[in-house]
Amino acid sequence: MNSERPTSAGQSGTTHFGFRTVDEQEKAGKVAQVFHSVAQRYDVMNDLMSGGMHRLWKSFTIGRAGVRPGMRVLDIAGGTGDLALAFAGKVGPTGQVWHTDINSSMLQVGRDRLTDKGVLLPTVVCDAEHLPFPDEFFDVVTVAFGLRNMTHKDLALQQMQRVLKPGGKLLVLEFSRIAAPLAPAYDWYSFNILPWLGKKVADDEDSYRYLAESIRMHPDQETLAQMMRDAGLPRVSYFNLTAGVVALHEGVKLF
């Protein structure tokens, strides 16, 4: 599922934007347009699309993170701030939670939400493929529903591994490959109901069609686990949630 590497100066390979093949250099801008469009209705649409299940998936992720007082946590593609808010309450005054996203509209919605709850966190617009943090700086790194939108997932995973301390944990919560008997019904829902909801609720059918397509193009459970190992996280496990609609991958950086 990896996109092709650039072949020489001034040339780039191709990658996927949903079911379309586009130049690598175009993908980031196209993904940005999607999330600028959906930012204001993102939480409402998540509740509608998942029947509220996304909150349980995130709660499971937060529990598996094992965050304790004094830890440093990096939340990548943190969007509207669900995970960052929960981690802020766990690290306490001696810890740090960095709330980051490549999309400024999503980050602003999340920052405003956190501020409304009286939580002030370092908030940074940054690209996961080029994280602006020192080596071995964080105890925990999380990315929830963001990895599939990244052009070079391998580079992003390497960067996440780089900024983890030895013994630190990377958690990737992402849509994955559903159990085969449920696939036909899930496909019908994804390509009929999701765009319809996007049109009716967010006035944006195309963005939600892209989101459905991007799920199908994302690596399956075993492929992503191997990508994490290849990135330098030898101890990788994963949990299928809701029959594999979503999977939580955990990778531990060894000493």
Side-chain angles (χ1 to χ4, degrees):
M1 293 294 181
N2 291 342
S3 54
E4 299 174 10
R5 312 297 330 143
T7 55
S8 63
Q11 294 182 328
S12 63
T14 58
T15 189
H16 297 289
F17 177 74
F19 289 161
R20 296 167 53 195
T21 299
V22 299
D23 190 279
E24 285 182 341
Q25 297 176 349
E26 296 178 21
K27 181 172 180 176
K30 291 181 178 296
V31 171
Q33 290 174 4
V34 169
F35 285 94
H36 285 310
S37 175
V38 304
Q40 293 298 325
R41 306 293 288 173
Y42 188 76
D43 284 336
V44 172
M45 284 297 296
N46 277 350
D47 281 330
L48 289 173
M49 290 188 300
S50 71
M53 290 297 294
H54 76 101
R55 299 181 186 274
L56 298 178
W57 300 329
K58 290 172 183 174
S59 179
F60 181 74
T61 302
I62 292 161
R64 292 294 309 179
V67 171
R68 302 186 301 276
M71 281 187 166
R72 291 177 180 159
V73 180
L74 172 62
D75 186 25
I76 294 172
T80 54
D82 288 344
L83 268 63
L85 178 62
F87 290 140
K90 293 181 178 295
V91 302
T94 60
Q96 296 179 17
V97 178
W98 288 76
H99 174 223
T100 73
D101 202 297
I102 196 172
N103 188 276
S104 59
S105 295
M106 292 290 292
L107 201 63
Q108 182 174 344
V109 171
R111 182 189 61 190
D112 291 347
R113 180 183 178 197
L114 292 167
T115 302
D116 288 345
K117 293 180 179 294
V119 177
L120 301 178
L121 301 177
T123 300
V124 180
V125 175
C126 69
D127 181 350
E129 296 178 18
H130 307 281
L131 292 174
F133 301 104
D135 294 354
E136 301 183 355
F137 189 74
F138 293 101
D139 299 283
V140 174
V141 175
T142 60
V143 53
F145 305 113
L147 184 65
R148 74 181 187 281
N149 297 308
M150 297 176 190
T151 304
H152 303 120
K153 297 175 182 65
D154 52 349
L155 295 184
L157 291 170
Q158 290 168 21
Q159 284 288 294
M160 296 174 204
Q161 185 273 153
R162 177 184 65 79
V163 302
L164 270 176
K165 296 178 181 179
K169 183 184 289 188
L170 168 64
L171 297 108
V172 180
L173 180 67
E174 189 55 87
F175 291 104
S176 198
R177 198 71 78 244
I178 195 170
L182 302 177
Y186 183 53
D187 285 345
W188 183 87
Y189 172 81
S190 297
F191 294 108
N192 291 277
I193 301 301
L194 291 191
W196 180 84
L197 282 173
K199 181 178 180 179
K200 295 297 182 181
V201 178
D203 193 27
D204 190 347
E205 181 178 357
D206 290 343
S207 290
Y208 285 92
R209 183 174 291 107
Y210 158 74
L211 293 177
E213 293 176 357
S214 70
I215 293 169
R216 301 316 189 277
M217 302 307 296
H218 186 66
D220 63 17
Q221 289 89 329
E222 285 293 341
T223 302
L224 179 55
Q226 188 57 51
M227 290 174 68
M228 292 173 67
R229 296 184 190 105
D230 292 343
L233 299 165
R235 185 182 300 169
V236 177
S237 58
Y238 62 84
F239 302 86
N240 283 321
L241 307 178
T242 317
V245 170
V246 165
L248 174 66
H249 283 69
E250 294 182 7
V252 177
K253 183 173 181 176
L254 301 182
F255 293 92

